[in-house]
């Protein structure tokens, strides 16, 4: 399968947990949120459930996966969700995928694809496509001031801290 491992067969527990993520997505719509739900589980135990709350709380980062990851980290008292699985009603967008990588989940299981989401008006394909192009061509200017005199100062301060928490 190469560098990207894609599982096509799920265990009964995986299916049950994925169904719970889908139920959370449907409940989110009923509560005025977007059609996305997610949960974080470890050893088949649900740690946290998240629903899309972007329009409810006016936060563009309040995707179901982000909400679930934040709640799981708070519940477990850690920023690393090693040993956990993220179950999502839909393929995570690039932001949510990056959050799952930063959280160090062991795996992601999702139901609907990015194409299914696009059909309903949630087209993350544009972001995936954008990231494959030169940032100089983006509609959003991305500017770096070079060389900035103190650009490494925060990193130098971080590196000199003896009791920093590595992540």
């Amino acid at each position: 399968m190469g560098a990207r491992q894609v599982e096509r067969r799920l265990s009964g527990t995986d299916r049950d947990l994925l169904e719970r993520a889908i139920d959370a997505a449907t409940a989110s719509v009923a509560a005025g949120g977007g059609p996305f739900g997610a949960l974080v589980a470890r050893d088949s135990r649900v740690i946290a459930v998240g629903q899309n709350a972007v329009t409810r709380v006016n936060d563009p980062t309040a995707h179901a996966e982000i909400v679930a990851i934040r709640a799981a980290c708070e519940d477990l008292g850690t920023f690393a969700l090693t040993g956990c699985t993220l179950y999502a009603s839909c393929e995570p967008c690039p932001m949510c995928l990056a959050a799952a990588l930063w959280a160090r989940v062991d795996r992601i299981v999702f139901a609907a694809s990015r194409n299914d989401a696009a059909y309903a008006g949630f087209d993350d394909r544009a972001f995936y496509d954008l990231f494959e192009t030169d940032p100089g061509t983006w509609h959003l200017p991305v500017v770096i001031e070079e060389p900035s005199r103190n650009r490494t100062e925060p990193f130098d301060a971080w590196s000199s801290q003896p009791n920093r928490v590595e992540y």
Side-chain angles (χ1 to χ4, degrees), residues 11-111:
S11 70
T13 300
D14 282 335
R15 288 190 189 284
D16 291 343
L17 293 171
L18 191 55
E19 287 296 324
R20 289 184 63 181
I22 294 168
D23 290 345
T26 304
S28 177
V29 173
F36 301 96
L39 60 89
V40 174
R42 179 184 283 156
D43 299 325
S44 303
R45 181 180 75 82
V46 175
I47 297 166
V49 177
Q51 294 176 314
N52 182 282
V54 170
T55 58
R56 269 198 324 252
V57 299
N58 296 320
D59 179 353
T61 69
H63 290 199
E65 298 91 338
I66 302 287
V67 172
I69 288 169
R70 287 176 180 159
C73 288
E74 185 174 339
D75 183 75
L76 295 173
T78 182
F79 57 83
L81 298 177
T82 306
C84 294
T85 298
L86 174 65
Y87 294 89
S89 63
C90 187
E91 182 176 3
C93 73
M95 176 181 69
C96 294
L97 181 56
L101 290 167
W102 277 110
R104 296 173 180 82
V105 299
D106 284 4
R107 60 197 270 258
I108 300 169
V109 178
F110 64 88

